[in-house]
Amino acid sequence: MQVFYNPHINHESVDVDFDKEESRHITKVLRKNTGDLIEITNGKGYLFTAELTFTSPSKCQATIKSHTYYDKRSYHLHMVVAPTKMNDRFEWFLEKATEIGVDEITPILCENSERRVIKHNRFERIIQSAMKQSLNFHKPILNPLTTFSEFIESPIKRSKFIAHCEDLEKTSLKDCISANGDYTILIGPEGDFSVKEIEMALQRDYKPVTLGESRLRTETAAIVACHSISFINQ
């Protein structure tokens, strides 16, 4: 199934226009013509079936014929992850986390962070593509880059965890989670969270967890955490 993304349509929409990039994809790559049906999601749980009414490489138009709403998954996962020095590794995390199942992603700037600037628009496109490819019709929220100290002060009611490498008492994440829960998980940069940051998290009731015996890269640790939550909810 080839799915297109348009965040501006809803269950009351009648017509939809496509920009030049998507119109070219429809006509030149998929070779669709007037009268053909296509699938569209708005990233808010809806999948629309629409009939093409006008096609050209520069602009396509379609009329919505039907729609189906898909409920959100039974759990809520917010991944708070420090962007990696190599951009492609963080992009890999965004893609795979979207495929596995995540509701919200916040890139955080830590004391040991080596990357202090992100390409938000590019990250959004990667998430959109992964959402369409995996047929997940709820697009994860991508928040702006936020400092650790700012994020840690935000009120969070759901279960909160911090995965770090310091030689302190920690519990395995798999022993802390259950089905249908709401979770926020902090994953630090390549140089790990600083001792000060760990102390700040613990003071705000974040539970220290381990993701296994191996020392994992940032993006690997984040994916392991996503998969752990997803697996327990299967």
Side-chain angles (χ1 to χ4, degrees), residues 97-128:
T98 301
E99 292 177 13
I100 293 169
V102 66
D103 299 280
E104 189 172 358
I105 299 169
T106 300
I108 51 167
L109 186 60
C110 303
E111 289 186 16
N112 294 327
S113 291
E114 294 187 78
R115 174 165 292 280
R116 297 182 171 274
V117 177
I118 65 170
K119 299 179 180 180
H120 191 94
N121 289 339
R122 177 174 171 81
F123 288 176
E124 276 282 2
R125 290 196 297 271
I126 290 170
I127 289 173
Q128 292 171 18

Side-chain angles (χ1 to χ4, degrees), residues 31-222:
R31 299 189 180 280
K32 296 288 187 179
N33 296 302
T34 301
D36 289 341
L37 298 178
I38 57 174
E39 307 290 342
I40 313 165
T41 182
N42 61 0
K44 301 177 181 70
Y46 283 93
L47 180 66
F48 303 88
T49 298
E51 180 181 345
L52 289 167
T53 55
F54 177 81
T55 56
S56 79
S58 59
K59 183 178 182 180
C60 287
Q61 295 176 315
T63 297
I64 295 173
K65 310 298 288 186
S66 64
H67 66 264
T68 303
Y69 179 76
Y70 293 84
D71 290 329
K72 281 191 171 185
R73 60 183 64 87
S74 61
Y75 65 92
H76 186 280
L77 176 60
H78 184 182
M79 292 299 302
V80 185
V81 186
T84 54
K85 181 179 180 181
M86 301 298 293
N87 222 21
D88 60 339
R89 285 164 49 192
F90 194 78
E91 291 174 358
W92 178 83
F93 152 68
L94 293 173
E95 179 183 79
K96 301 309 174 188
T98 301
E99 292 177 13
I100 293 169
V102 66
D103 299 280
E104 189 172 358
I105 299 169
T106 300
I108 51 167
L109 186 60
C110 303
E111 289 186 16
N112 294 327
S113 291
E114 294 187 78
R115 174 165 292 280
R116 297 182 171 274
V117 177
I118 65 170
K119 299 179 180 180
H120 191 94
N121 289 339
R122 177 174 171 81
F123 288 176
E124 276 282 2
R125 290 196 297 271
I126 290 170
I127 289 173
Q128 292 171 18
S129 178
M131 173 194 65
K132 294 186 294 182
Q133 186 276 329
S134 58
L135 301 183
N136 290 320
F137 304 124
H138 290 272
K139 188 179 77 68
I141 296 170
L142 176 65
N143 295 317
L145 181 65
T146 306
T147 64
F148 180 91
S149 57
E150 181 180 356
F151 180 84
I152 210 69
E153 294 291 346
S154 59
I156 296 175
K157 295 182 179 180
R158 61 181 65 99
S159 300
K160 304 181 293 185
F161 303 106
I162 179 170
H164 63 78
C165 299
E166 287 293 316
D167 190 19
L168 302 172
E169 183 178 352
K170 290 174 281 188
T171 306
S172 175
L173 177 63
K174 64 181 178 63
D175 294 330
C176 301
I177 58 179
S178 58
N180 306 323
D182 290 350
Y183 301 102
T184 295
I185 303 177
L186 273 59
I187 305 290
E190 284 94 328
D192 200 11
F193 293 111
S194 68
V195 173
K196 178 183 177 181
E197 287 169 338
I198 295 172
E199 290 176 350
M200 290 173 64
L202 298 183
Q203 289 171 3
R204 287 158 181 79
D205 298 323
Y206 280 80
K207 187 170 185 177
V209 293
T210 175
L211 301 173
E213 296 182 2
S214 299
R215 189 180 182 93
L216 305 175
R217 290 181 180 272
T218 293
E219 72 278 12
T220 309

